[in-house]
Amino acid sequence: MTDTATPAVIHRADYAPPAFLIDSVTLEFDLVPARTIVKNSMRMRRNPDAARAARLELMGEQLELVSVAVNGVPHAAARAHEHGLTLDDVPDTFELTIVSACAPAENTTLSGLYVSSDNFFTQCEAEGFRRITYFLDRPDVMTTYTVTLRADKAAYPVLLSNGNLIEEGDLADGRHFAKWEDPFKKPSYLFALVAGRLVALEERIKSVSGKEKLLQVWVEPHDLDKTRHAMESLIHSIRWDEERFGLELDLDRFMIVAVSDFNMGAMENKGLNIFNTKYVLANPETATDTDFANIEAVVGHEYFHNWTGNRVTCRDWFQLSLKEGLTVFRDQEFSADMAGGATDETARAVKRIEDVRVLRQMQFAEDSGPMAHPVRPESYVEINNFYTMTVYEKGAEVVRMYQTLFGRDGFRRGMDLYFKRHDGQAVACDDFRLALADANGRDLAQFERWYSQAGTPRVTVETAYDADAQRYTVTLKQGYGDAAPAARATQKGPLLIPFAIGLIGRDGADLPLRLEGESAASGTTRVLDFTETEQTFTFVDVREAPLPSLLRNFSAPVVVEYDYTADELAFLLAHDSDPFNRWEAGQRLATRELLALAARAAENAPLQLDDSVVTAFARVLTDETLSPAFRELALMLPSEAYLAEQMAESNPAAVHRARQFVRKRLAAALREAWLAIYDRHRTPGAYAPTPEAAGHRGLKNLALAYLAELDDPADAVKLATAQYAEANNMTDRAAALSALLAASTSKETPAAESALADFYRRFEKEPLVIDKWFALQATQRGSAARPIIDVVRKLMTHPAFNIKNPNRARSLIFSFCSANPAQFHAEDGSGYAFWAEQVIALDALNPQVAARLARALELWRRYTPVLREKMRAALEQVASQVKSRDVREIVEKALV
Ligand code: B3K
Ligand code: ZN
């Protein structure tokens, strides 16, 4: 196998070191939208640690080769082909100069060099650099870059690349240049350039060792008033990494650039992070509390990559979670520290709950379908399909477990050793695990299974209390249940599961814990080392029959099965000292009730709700000792997607009926309470996106959403109309609009239509807000008389709709296909026909985005027979027309 041939499936086991190394690279760009010329000069030599190769194989895609020279002499033995450039007869050490051309203006894939709003941007991870020049485009080839950019000065006054600006000046014909040098070795996926008409918000700060740093947030001129929060977030991130991990910014200058056409959230290019505008731009009028929080998290995430990803990078793409799982864990901790410091457990729990909700809803689903893969995958067809919930979110849980096992200090010791050993290297997940193990003197061989086994582990719990002996035994069994075939193949043996547990007495207080064999009791939460298929833990001196609080703070990414009674769950919801498990008890209670109702709804049987559920929720709602943010989460029912996923046969219509039934019951039974909550949690005065103020708004707007469910939604319409008109922030305005749309489902109200029209007019010039306008409509509830597919199809023809812009495509198409299950899964198959059309349309423009959309049907086998057959037909239709490797991998795996 040569370096550039692209086999259908790439296997982790086939890794081999590169045959050549690049000691330095010099790039010169003549930036012209239609045809950009790139001159690439590399100092190359054979890799002493690799087998001697007969030829040099460079990767390249969609390039036009102009010339090749070895040591300054034109090289005849060079052959360009679809996947790259093959060079015969190369010496052991040489200077290779390649001139090639590409067409940024035509590049709709948004990978490589492309044009957006008349400016140039790059996106190289994972394999975009080969669309810019011929190269050893693999992460274990690290080198230093010197980059010269030349362009028309009027059209592209700003020219940016990685590292430090070392020279700039004017050229003939109104052109100018800038020369950048990045002192740090890096893999090609971290290369970036930006050229265009941009302005920057700037700050100068001193890093912990006293060095001056220039920070810049670059945007289009009309967006400069929306950059303050991103800058603050960057400064907080720099301080946090210094304090929590002793990691300092290593460059003199750190830049963030916002672009409106971007495939994902953001990209951690060395010293030149490129961001989707969605994760940079914010002011109170245009961004919600969630947007503000997401910006802080993503700015943090990309900044933290500077050490976890850039200074220490991945040997190959199978190791992606080495940087992504670790960096997600770091951004989660950063957000928790920003919200609650190290000690405010309730504020930290809110963040933890939000993260676990996402994991369960999305990663558990991924793990149960045809795309199931381990945190460190064994094979892939298209690497861009593996930037997944498993690699990112489950990967973050795996990293979190080290911290749960060793504590914050032990985790820090492991991180320190990891950097000491591997700074400047491209390494593997095993290297991280070994650093953690060695720094803490523990053998973590078994822990490797968290990286190699796919599927969601299930832990079944049985307990017994012996009153005479005052002993309480907890028996844990682990397995994977009915795992998907893709996951089953990877499962070899039991995992090391850190299982946190507490025991609660009749008065609601935690009991002191003493395990058999220990000399005295200590603490009220214990992390059990659960390493065998079945294991029994015995607590002694247990004065009374306790209620177990299991997997506190979600100490491992597993499903816990234990037969709590409804009363016990209500008790935990009221008393558990672990805030995560308080929330969890409410979710279990609601899930159980909702699933029973969904089963009845599927049979068209009448629905009724047990009063005890209403009582339990009422108690949380009015418990003033709980923070508003926590109450909001506790009163949010599990999502329709999550519930459908829990059914033996997913039935989105039945789930929707059941969930709506419960929402209406909670709305009606607690009407007075909701009205009181609405009033008490108004946030008058200037807007601030603090977690506290956001908590008040969140709970208030949840009250509004419940009130909108009433059969007579007059209260909600009145409150929402006023809130819409008076709002001084986007959180309140969008929530009001959403409530009006919901209310109009029960009773047609002109207020909804007029607010929708007003919203559009008001924010016509703010693309990110217009995205919200599309999304709110795509996710609204429909009725037999007004199916949302009709609304969506009509919006597809709206002048503001543009399928080439990923944010806009997501706001309308993805919102409908992934966030409105009851409407998308309409029995007539209209949603699936729409999905197929859009996947095919996107496939020709932007395969990465198309492949994401393609995944909306991957769990098709889990649905009711009627839906299943229609989904299969849609998948087969796409499979027969697809062009890209990206989409083909998804639909073919789904159909296997
Ligand atoms: N590393 C990038 C993701 C690149 C995705 C390529 N398809 C963003 C991040 O995780 O920080
Ligand atoms: Zn990342």
Side-chain angles (χ1 to χ4, degrees):
M1 187 74 52
T2 62
D3 276 341
T4 53
T6 33
V9 184
I10 322 276
H11 295 274
R12 182 172 73 91
D14 292 343
Y15 174 81
F20 290 84
L21 300 175
I22 306 175
D23 287 325
S24 66
V25 58
T26 305
L27 300 171
E28 291 174 51
F29 288 82
D30 281 294
L31 293 163
V32 178
R35 190 165 185 270
T36 287
I37 304 287
V38 182
K39 181 174 172 195
N40 165 3
S41 311
M42 296 175 275
R43 301 236 311 260
M44 306 203 66
R45 65 187 156 94
R46 288 183 185 273
N47 180 1
D49 299 324
R52 192 180 170 86
R55 52 186 64 86
L56 169 61
E57 297 279 4
L58 297 174
M59 295 84 151
E61 277 174 19
Q62 306 278 304
L63 296 175
E64 175 200 329
L65 180 63
V66 177
S67 66
V68 188
V70 171
N71 292 329
V73 180
H75 194 70
R79 187 177 62 86
H81 50 85
E82 206 190 334
H83 303 295
L85 182 65
T86 305
L87 289 108
D88 288 312
D89 309 327
V90 293
D92 290 351
T93 309
F94 55 103
E95 169 100 13
L96 177 59
T97 308
I98 302 171
V99 178
S100 63
C102 58
E106 251 102 87
N107 184 357
T108 58
T109 66
L110 310 184
S111 163
L113 178 63
Y114 65 94
V115 173
S116 165
S117 308
D118 297 325
N119 299 324
F120 287 95
F121 297 90
T122 54
Q123 171 54 36
C124 293
E125 190 178 358
E127 299 179 335
F129 192 71
R130 64 187 65 183
R131 300 168 59 91
I132 296 174
T133 183
Y134 294 99
F135 205 72
L136 293 176
D137 188 15
R138 43 185 288 171
D140 57 352
V141 174
M142 298 173 80
T143 188
T144 51
Y145 288 66
T146 305
V147 178
T148 303
L149 306 175
R150 290 186 287 264
D152 182 83
K153 190 172 181 176
Y156 310 102
V158 174
L159 303 172
L160 310 174
S161 191
N162 317 84
N164 302 316
L165 178 64
I166 53 169
E167 209 187 324
E168 61 185 330
D170 289 335
L171 299 165
D173 301 335
R175 292 164 65 75
H176 71 147
F177 78 96
K179 188 169 178 183
W180 293 81
E181 197 173 68
D182 185 349
F184 294 96
K185 280 184 165 223
K186 64 170 175 284
S188 52
Y189 82 85
L190 291 173
F191 166 82
L193 76 78
V194 171
R197 218 179 307 239
L198 299 166
V199 294
L201 174 69
E202 289 191 356
E203 285 274 336
R204 276 169 214 278
I205 62 162
K206 278 202 169 67
S207 64
V208 63
S209 69
K211 291 195 199 81
E212 176 134 339
K213 309 284 175 186
L214 171 62
L215 311 179
Q216 297 176 314
V217 178
W218 291 93
V219 295
E220 288 186 44
H222 57 266
D223 286 326
L224 195 58
D225 63 337
K226 303 186 201 78
T227 50
R228 183 41 55 194
H229 182 66
M231 178 62 85
E232 298 294 326
S233 302
L234 176 59
I235 295 170
H236 289 147
S237 306
I238 293 171
R239 295 296 174 230
W240 183 85
D241 222 9
E242 291 175 347
E243 277 163 33
R244 178 90 181 254
F245 288 107
L247 298 171
E248 187 174 357
L249 174 56
D250 53 5
L251 288 161
D252 303 340
R253 171 178 182 139
F254 191 89
M255 300 171 275
I256 286 177
V257 187
V259 55
S260 54
D261 294 290
F262 205 64
N263 282 346
M264 62 267 174
M267 177 64 212
E268 70 264 25
N269 316 301
K270 185 79 186 186
L272 181 58
N273 288 186
I274 298 182
F275 274 61
N276 187 325
T277 45
K278 183 173 165 60
Y279 296 106
V280 176
L281 305 179
N283 68 26
E285 286 75 42
T286 60
T288 61
D289 291 327
T290 307
D291 293 326
F292 276 91
N294 287 343
I295 289 168
E296 181 181 81
V298 178
V299 167
H301 180 97
E302 306 311 329
Y303 176 75
F304 303 143
H305 267 314
N306 190 49
W307 280 94
T308 50
N310 301 4
R311 289 287 290 248
V312 183
T313 196
C314 303
R315 186 193 72 172
D316 56 67
W317 291 120
F318 296 102
Q319 319 299 331
L320 184 56
S321 198
L322 172 77
K323 73 177 177 81
E324 295 304 347
L326 176 53
T327 306
V328 171
F329 168 73
R330 275 152 56 70
D331 85 53
Q332 290 176 348
E333 288 290 279
F334 166 61
S335 295
D337 285 346
M338 293 299 292
T343 49
D344 181 346
E345 287 307 327
T346 328
R348 295 186 70 84
V350 166
K351 170 66 180 154
R352 184 76 186 123
I353 291 165
E354 288 166 353
D355 293 337
V356 173
R357 264 177 81 103
V358 172
L359 180 85
R360 273 193 190 148
Q361 200 165 300
M362 321 266 296
Q363 196 279 326
F364 283 16
E366 177 168 278
D367 240 349
S368 72
M371 272 293 285
H373 56 275
V375 165
R376 184 192 57 207
E378 292 300 336
S379 67
Y380 59 76
V381 173
E382 169 51 60
I383 184 56
N384 286 315
N385 286 334
F386 283 79
Y387 286 74
T388 57
M389 294 307 286
T390 300
V391 166
Y392 275 66
E393 313 301 321
K394 186 175 181 180
E397 292 298 321
V398 170
V399 173
R400 183 174 294 278
M401 285 189 284
Y402 293 109
Q403 182 169 276
T404 304
L405 288 167
F406 303 133
R408 273 197 192 199
D409 293 345
F411 185 75
R412 171 67 193 269
R413 272 196 301 280
M415 288 284 278
D416 290 350
L417 184 59
Y418 174 64
F419 291 116
K420 191 164 164 232
R421 284 181 179 170
H422 301 298
D423 187 16
Q425 300 173 10
V427 303
C429 296
D430 283 341
D431 296 307
F432 184 75
R433 181 171 51 85
L434 291 176
L436 266 291
D438 293 349
N440 290 284
R442 175 148 181 188
D443 177 357
L444 286 179
Q446 186 183 5
F447 200 78
E448 195 265 346
R449 290 191 182 132
W450 278 110
Y451 293 90
S452 58
Q453 301 191 161
T456 306
R458 280 169 192 275
V459 176
T460 352
V461 184
E462 272 162 36
T463 60
Y465 181 60
D466 179 341
D468 296 336
Q470 302 212 327
R471 288 159 68 88
Y472 185 68
T473 55
V474 178
T475 302
L476 305 179
K477 289 185 198 150
Q478 55 168 304
Y480 285 92
D482 244 349
R488 211 176 307 132
T490 66
Q491 295 160 357
K492 304 270 152 39
L495 298 156
L496 189 181
I497 298 177
F499 194 92
I501 185 171
L503 302 181
I504 302 175
R506 233 167 320 204
D507 61 354
D510 278 336
L511 301 176
L513 300 180
R514 179 176 164 204
L515 280 161
E516 187 165 45
E518 291 177 346
S519 56
S522 79
T524 53
T525 298
R526 282 302 181 80
V527 180
L528 306 175
D529 264 355
F530 174 32
T531 56
E532 290 160 37
T533 307
E534 177 173 345
Q535 216 168 333
T536 297
F537 299 87
T538 304
F539 292 95
V540 296
D541 295 343
V542 184
R543 299 183 308 259
E544 52 176 306
L547 187 57
S549 171
L550 304 167
L551 202 76
R552 281 187 159 170
N553 203 34
F554 200 70
S555 62
V558 304
V559 172
V560 174
E561 286 167 356
Y562 181 71
D563 278 331
Y564 285 115
T565 65
D567 284 349
E568 288 172 336
L569 289 174
F571 188 82
L572 288 172
L573 177 59
H575 298 292
D576 200 323
S577 68
D578 183 65
F580 179 88
N581 267 4
R582 263 186 100 163
W583 170 80
E584 176 75 338
Q587 293 296 297
R588 274 179 191 265
L589 196 60
T591 302
R592 185 187 300 194
E593 201 63 34
L594 285 160
L595 289 176
L597 288 167
R600 292 179 64 79
E603 274 155 19
N604 283 318
L607 305 184
Q608 66 195 57
L609 182 65
D610 201 292
D611 273 342
S612 67
V613 177
V614 179
T615 315
F617 278 90
R619 201 176 301 149
V620 176
L621 179 60
T622 52
D623 184 344
E624 295 287 331
T625 66
L626 293 168
S627 74
F630 182 87
R631 277 186 275 165
E632 183 199 353
L633 284 169
L635 286 150
M636 224 182 256
L637 298 177
S639 74
E640 290 183 18
Y642 176 75
L643 292 166
E645 162 80 6
Q646 308 306 307
M647 296 177 84
E649 255 180 9
S650 299
N651 183 337
V655 164
H656 182 70
R657 274 210 298 285
R659 194 168 178 278
Q660 275 309 112
F661 173 78
V662 174
R663 280 174 66 82
K664 282 178 176 296
R665 269 301 308 280
L666 288 174
L670 307 175
R671 179 172 170 266
E672 296 307 317
W674 290 123
L675 284 167
I677 290 279
Y678 184 89
D679 233 35
R680 191 162 331 125
H681 294 277
R682 291 175 195 263
T683 50
Y687 170 86
T690 60
E692 216 209 322
H696 287 292
R697 273 187 293 275
L699 185 58
K700 178 195 69 179
N701 288 326
L702 182 78
L704 186 60
Y706 269 103
L707 290 167
E709 300 291 359
L710 292 169
D711 289 335
D712 177 4
D715 289 332
V717 171
K718 195 163 146 248
L719 293 172
T721 306
Q723 176 169 322
Y724 180 87
E726 289 154 21
N728 69 349
N729 65 83
M730 179 50 71
T731 305
D732 282 342
R733 203 182 303 273
L737 177 55
S738 165
L740 289 172
L741 288 174
S744 72
T745 330
S746 325
K747 206 169 168 194
E748 198 82 4
T749 150
E753 278 309 313
S754 75
L756 211 45
D758 176 88
F759 193 91
Y760 187 82
R761 272 196 306 276
R762 210 182 266 258
F763 298 109
E764 210 169 351
K765 299 220 158 54
E766 298 289 350
L768 295 170
V769 184
I770 296 304
D771 288 338
K772 296 182 197 301
W773 184 80
F774 278 106
L776 275 170
Q777 296 179 77
T779 52
Q780 69 188 309
R781 245 188 342 271
S783 63
R786 189 166 174 270
I788 301 307
I789 180 72
D790 295 351
V791 177
V792 170
R793 284 204 181 269
K794 184 151 174 246
L795 285 171
M796 294 287 293
T797 66
H798 191 281
F801 184 73
N802 169 14
I803 197 171
K804 288 189 188 161
N805 174 257
N807 286 357
R808 194 53 52 86
R810 284 187 277 259
S811 75
L812 182 57
I813 303 171
F814 287 53
S815 293
F816 177 67
C817 297
S818 307
N820 197 346
Q823 291 293 308
F824 176 62
H825 294 282
E827 266 199 22
D828 61 6
S830 53
Y832 308 149
F834 173 76
W835 168 88
E837 276 167 43
Q838 303 315 320
V839 172
I840 297 296
L842 281 164
D843 185 55
L845 295 167
N846 187 331
Q848 285 186 39
V849 172
R852 290 277 156 163
L853 181 62
R855 296 196 57 186
L857 252 58
E858 76 186 17
L859 297 181
W860 66 279
R861 284 179 204 278
R862 313 272 307 268
Y863 285 77
T864 56
V866 180
L867 297 181
R868 206 189 297 158
E869 284 321 306
K870 296 198 159 115
M871 288 162 115
R872 184 219 292 274
L875 279 159
E876 279 168 352
Q877 188 199 328
V878 169
S880 71
Q881 293 178 48
V882 62
K883 297 267 185 308
S884 74
R885 184 167 62 195
D886 309 57
V887 175
R888 171 156 314 161
E889 176 171 31
I890 303 297
V891 292
E892 284 183 355
K893 284 185 172 164
L895 286 168
V896 159

